[in-house]
Amino acid sequence: KAGVTQTPRYLIKTRGQQVTLSCSPISGHRSVSWYQQTPGQGLQFLFEYFSETQRNKGNFPGRFSGRQFSNSRSEMNVSTLELGDSALYLCASSLGGQTKNIQYFGAGTRLSVL
Amino acid sequence: DQQVKQNSPSLSVQEGRISILNCDYTNSMFDYFLWYKKYPAEGPTFLISISSIKDKNEDGRFTVFLNKSAKHLSLHIVPSQPGDSAVYFCAASRRSNRDDKIIFGKGTRLHILP
C-alpha cells in the first residue's frame, strides 16, 4: 500500500510569491491534515480536511488556505510569502479523522522563502 | 498557550541504557495521547499511544506511562539502540470529539551514544 506522497519535496520562492503544495493520502483515507514544522516550534496544526470539507483550522493567517478534492487529494496554498513561512510542511492522512485514527505522515515539502 | 510541553529539547543516553522522554499537558479534557518518532528528511511515524483509562501501555521496547493527576506522561525505551536516535513528539487530543484537533509538543531530540 503506497504511503502519503507530498510534492514537491523542495521549493525555493521569493517574498511576495505564492506557492501550492500537494498531498496524496493513503488510499481509502478520507482525512488530510497539514502541519508546519519550524526549528523549536514543533508541529503546528494548519488545517484538517475530511470528505472535501474543512473540519478544523489552526491559528494561521488567511494567507494559508487549503482544499481537498473528491479523491481525497489535498492542496495547500500560501499567498504573499514571507520569510517566516520558510519551514517543513507536513501532510498526514488518516481513515476517520486525526482524533479518531492514527495519522500517517508524508516526508514533507521543505519551503525556503528568500 | 502551549497545551502540550516537552521541556527537554534534547537528551543523550548511552546505548543499552534506558531512555526516558517526558511530556506535560495542561488540558484535563485530553483523553488520548500519542508518541511519534521522526528521522531527518522523513515524516513522523506513529510509535505508541495510550488512552486516559489506562496508566501504562507497552509495545516491545517502548512503554508509555500516564499520570493523570500530574498531567504527565513519559516514554521509556529499554534498551536504547542506535536506531532510536531521532526526534520524539508527544501529542494529545480529545478522542471523544471528532472535530477536535491533535496538539503536538515541540519535540525532544534523542541521541543514543555508542
Side-chain angles (χ1 to χ4, degrees):
Chain A
K1 201 173 190 181
V4 178
T5 304
Q6 291 189 246
T7 56
R9 288 296 308 274
Y10 302 94
L11 263 179
I12 299 176
K13 292 285 186 180
T14 55
R15 277 181 301 173
Q17 287 187 308
Q18 77 162 23
V19 67
T20 299
L21 313 181
S22 179
C23 173
S24 293
I26 291 172
S27 177
H29 285 193
R30 296 165 66 189
S31 165
V32 173
S33 297
W34 287 89
Y35 296 88
Q36 182 195 67
Q37 185 190 8
T38 53
Q41 290 301 314
L43 295 170
Q44 294 187 284
F45 172 71
L46 281 153
F47 25 67
E48 179 188 11
Y49 285 88
F50 185 85
S51 294
E52 302 179 66
T53 301
Q54 188 179 89
R55 175 181 274 180
N56 217 325
K57 192 176 189 307
N59 297 323
F60 279 81
R63 299 186 296 107
F64 292 82
S65 62
R67 59 178 175 168
Q68 187 179 32
F69 302 96
S70 58
N71 62 357
S72 292
R73 191 177 71 85
S74 177
E75 287 182 347
M76 189 191 95
N77 187 75
V78 187
S79 62
T80 321
L81 284 166
E82 301 177 359
L83 295 178
D85 297 332
S86 294
L88 179 67
Y89 290 88
L90 292 160
C91 158
S93 77
S94 64
L95 268 173
Q98 60 170 246
T99 62
K100 287 297 185 189
N101 305 103
I102 301 303
Q103 289 184 284
Y104 295 83
F105 284 82
T109 294
R110 184 161 295 281
L111 172 65
S112 297
V113 181
L114 307 178
Chain B
D1 177 34
Q2 204 182 337
Q3 297 186 63
V4 177
K5 299 177 187 178
Q6 292 179 257
N7 292 320
S8 300
S10 67
L11 176 69
S12 295
V13 174
Q14 208 76 34
E15 181 180 353
R17 307 292 288 267
I18 181 171
S19 294
I20 300 176
L21 294 93
N22 293 306
C23 178
D24 296 298
Y25 60 95
T26 58
N27 189 344
S28 58
M29 299 298 289
F30 287 145
D31 57 15
Y32 190 59
F33 304 88
L34 311 93
W35 286 93
Y36 280 83
K37 173 180 176 179
K38 185 181 184 302
Y39 292 119
E42 294 183 15
T45 54
F46 169 74
L47 197 53
I48 193 169
S49 64
I50 187 166
S51 163
S52 60
I53 62 173
K54 294 185 171 183
D55 53 22
K56 176 183 172 182
N57 189 26
E58 212 169 334
D59 184 2
R61 297 186 298 113
F62 303 91
T63 303
V64 56
F65 295 92
L66 176 61
N67 182 335
K68 289 185 288 294
S69 60
K71 294 195 187 69
H72 176 85
L73 64 155
S74 60
L75 173 68
H76 292 213
I77 306 173
V78 185
S80 300
Q81 298 175 354
D84 297 330
S85 293
V87 177
Y88 290 79
F89 292 99
C90 168
S93 73
R94 288 188 297 168
R95 205 174 196 192
S96 51
N97 183 349
R98 70 154 203 186
D99 292 327
D100 206 354
K101 57 193 179 191
I102 287 181
I103 308 294
F104 284 85
K106 293 186 178 184
T108 295
R109 184 177 299 277
L110 176 63
H111 301 272
I112 303 302
L113 307 170

